Amino acid sequence: MHKKYIPIPYEAFPREREVVDGTNCLAFALGIFEPKWGAERAQYNLEMGIPIEKAFLKKVRELGFDTKKFKRIKTEDEAKCAGYVIRVYDFVNVKLNDGTITDDFHVIRREPNGKWFHKPGYGCYQRRVSIEDWIIILTQYGKRYVSFAIEV
């Protein structure tokens, strides 16, 4: 039995410190707010070394969702107006606040109202993607992404 994809509206996603610190962009996009710590955090990471589309679908399956509900689309316009879209940015080298460089991916979600939301990472609150966020996302990740329409 698969989990039903029930995206938690951005306003309703828990804002408790434990959830903020223990979830990342992938967890938010999938509507998961179960905090993970230490080695458990890997449950919310994608596998490197395989195409980003395969890595995302593999993780979705591991988390218990039916991958048939996640339809790969070339443009967000292909998604139904009332549907959700998840955009998964491929791994790139990212400089962290402490100056270290790591490989990172990013996931954002479009709500049925057409607005994009994301959670910048562990320890960050979820929010609407602002102009500044778009600039950061495009500067860091470029246009290397895949999009999925989600059947709910």
Side-chain angles (χ1 to χ4, degrees):
M1 185 74 170
H2 293 107
K3 279 196 255 184
K4 183 168 173 52
Y5 176 75
I6 305 173
I8 308 299
Y10 127 88
E11 300 89 352
F13 198 80
R15 298 183 72 81
E16 288 85 15
R17 196 75 237 169
E18 181 178 78
V19 174
V20 170
D21 291 343
T23 59
N24 66 358
C25 58
L26 178 65
F28 169 72
L30 293 174
I32 300 170
F33 50 92
E34 301 158 12
K36 300 294 180 190
W37 307 101
E40 284 188 326
R41 280 190 172 179
Q43 292 179 38
Y44 294 151
N45 288 333
L46 301 181
E47 182 180 332
M48 292 179 59
I50 60 175
I52 196 69
E53 176 178 357
K54 288 183 179 182
F56 176 73
L57 290 173
K58 180 179 178 185
K59 181 54 64 178
V60 165
R61 187 172 29 270
E62 287 173 7
L63 291 169
F65 294 99
D66 182 358
T67 56
K68 293 177 188 158
K69 303 280 185 185
F70 292 76
K71 181 187 173 208
R72 172 75 165 88
I73 55 176
K74 293 198 186 290
T75 70
E76 282 85 18
D77 294 336
E78 292 178 49
K80 295 178 184 172
C81 293
Y84 288 88
V85 172
I86 288 181
R87 185 186 283 182
V88 185
Y89 286 88
D90 205 347
F91 284 93
V92 295
N93 287 333
V94 174
K95 188 174 185 178
L96 301 177
N97 290 338
D98 66 4
T100 59
I101 296 186
T102 186
D103 289 315
D104 194 24
F105 66 93
H106 193 55
V107 182
I108 62 176
R109 183 179 79 197
R110 190 186 76 186
E111 305 283 311
N113 64 12
K115 295 176 182 168
W116 289 92
F117 293 88
H118 75 140
K119 187 174 185 300
Y122 292 104
C124 299
Y125 287 103
Q126 64 278 4
R127 63 179 183 240
R128 185 170 176 195
V129 179
S130 67
I131 297 292
E132 293 81 13
D133 289 332
W134 280 119
I135 292 168
I136 291 168
I137 290 168
L138 292 173
T139 300
Q140 286 185 344
Y141 299 97
K143 294 185 178 184
R144 294 178 30 189
Y145 63 83
V146 293
S147 298
F148 296 87
I150 298 121
E151 183 183 314
V152 289

